[in-house]
């Protein structure tokens, strides 16, 4: 059930990229939780009304295969600070709501910490907050979820490395979950007022 009037969006990985774009262009999105995503379009353009944001291409020739035969994607992304990619930045300076950036510093898929920092540098300081967790991998999920450091993914020839150290990742999931709930309740209202 949607309580309204404002909406909250939670996204992980590519979904975090989409969530950030939604927060940028949809004024009804007042609270966004971005978990290990990017702040630039990658792979596919974003088309919204008359706007088209070009993507930064993936450099699949840079794929690395680990000793176990898993795919390490960390090198396929170009440096977003390269001026050639400035048009691919999601214009986060237009965000009217609030954004909580959740970063796993041992993310082996994206340089999530860099993307969060680049987004925050373009946003008003009061618009966003970064939670950064050393030892946490890419897939930060609710507490009690096991660390998923490698898994299959549709469209990839081999399992993908997500990173993370078990104990540090578990602590990040416990702490970030409480912060996410508080963030959403602060900007959307407490769930106790909702009647199903």
């Amino acid at each position: 059930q949607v309580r309204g009037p404002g909406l909250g969006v939670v996204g992980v990985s590519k979904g975090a990229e989409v969530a950030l774009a939604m927060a940028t262009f949809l004024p009804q999105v007042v609270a966004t939780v971005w978990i290990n995503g990017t702040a630039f379009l990658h792979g596919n353009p974003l088309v919204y009304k008359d706007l088209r944001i070009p993507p930064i291409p993936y450099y699949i020739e840079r794929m690395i295969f680990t000793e176990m035969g898993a795919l390490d994607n960390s090198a396929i992304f170009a440096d977003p600070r390269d001026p050639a990619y400035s048009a691919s930045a999601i214009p986060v300076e237009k965000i009217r709501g609030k954004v909580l950036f959740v970063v796993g510093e041992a993310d082996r898929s994206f340089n999530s910490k860099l993307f969060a920092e680049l987004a925050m540098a373009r946003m008003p300081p009061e618009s966003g907050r970064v939670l950064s967790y050393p030892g946490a991998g890419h897939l930060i999920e609710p507490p009690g979820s096991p660390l998923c450091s490698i898994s299959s993914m549709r469209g990839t020839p081999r399992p993908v490395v997500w990173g993370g150290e078990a104990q540090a990742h578990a602590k990040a999931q416990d702490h970030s979950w409480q912060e996410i709930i508080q963030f959403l309740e602060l900007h959307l209202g407490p769930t106790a007022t909702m009647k199903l």
Side-chain angles (χ1 to χ4, degrees), residues 52-191:
R52 182 180 188 281
I53 300 175
I56 298 174
Y58 294 121
Y59 292 94
I60 55 174
E61 66 276 7
R62 297 182 189 170
M63 278 194 258
I64 300 167
F65 291 96
T66 67
E67 294 171 3
M68 295 172 37
L71 180 62
D72 183 334
N73 278 332
S74 58
I76 69 169
F77 297 95
D79 186 342
R81 296 168 291 193
D82 184 329
Y85 302 124
S86 62
S88 299
I90 297 170
V92 294
E93 56 277 3
K94 296 181 179 182
I95 291 175
R96 293 180 209 103
K98 305 293 184 189
V99 182
L100 180 63
F101 294 92
V102 180
V103 172
E105 293 183 20
D107 185 345
R108 292 276 299 275
S109 189
F110 297 156
N111 186 345
S112 301
K113 188 172 185 178
L114 173 65
F115 283 118
E117 290 169 350
L118 292 173
M120 284 290 296
R122 295 192 344 264
M123 296 169 61
E126 67 280 0
S127 296
R129 182 172 151 227
V130 177
L131 297 175
S132 194
Y133 298 99
H138 188 66
L139 299 176
I140 296 176
E141 299 175 297
S145 301
L147 169 64
C148 180
S149 59
I150 299 175
S151 72
S152 295
M153 188 173 88
R154 188 177 352 146
T156 60
R158 304 260 179 99
V160 176
V161 176
W162 304 115
E165 303 157 15
Q167 189 172 6
H169 193 84
K171 286 181 180 178
Q173 288 184 157
D174 286 343
H175 185 265
S176 66
W177 183 254
Q178 296 307 314
E179 294 291 322
I180 289 167
I181 297 299
Q182 288 175 14
F183 172 81
L184 292 173
E185 286 186 342
L186 176 64
H187 299 294
L188 301 173
T191 56

Side-chain angles (χ1 to χ4, degrees), residues 2-77:
V2 177
R3 289 179 288 153
L7 298 175
V9 178
V10 179
V12 180
S13 192
K14 184 70 170 176
E17 181 181 295
V18 173
L20 204 57
M22 290 174 69
T24 298
F25 298 111
L26 303 176
Q28 57 270 52
V29 176
V30 299
T32 304
V33 178
W34 174 105
I35 303 170
N36 287 326
T38 73
F40 290 71
L41 272 290
H42 285 86
N44 299 305
L46 176 94
V47 179
Y48 180 72
K49 296 184 178 178
D50 296 331
L51 177 75
R52 182 180 188 281
I53 300 175
I56 298 174
Y58 294 121
Y59 292 94
I60 55 174
E61 66 276 7
R62 297 182 189 170
M63 278 194 258
I64 300 167
F65 291 96
T66 67
E67 294 171 3
M68 295 172 37
L71 180 62
D72 183 334
N73 278 332
S74 58
I76 69 169
F77 297 95

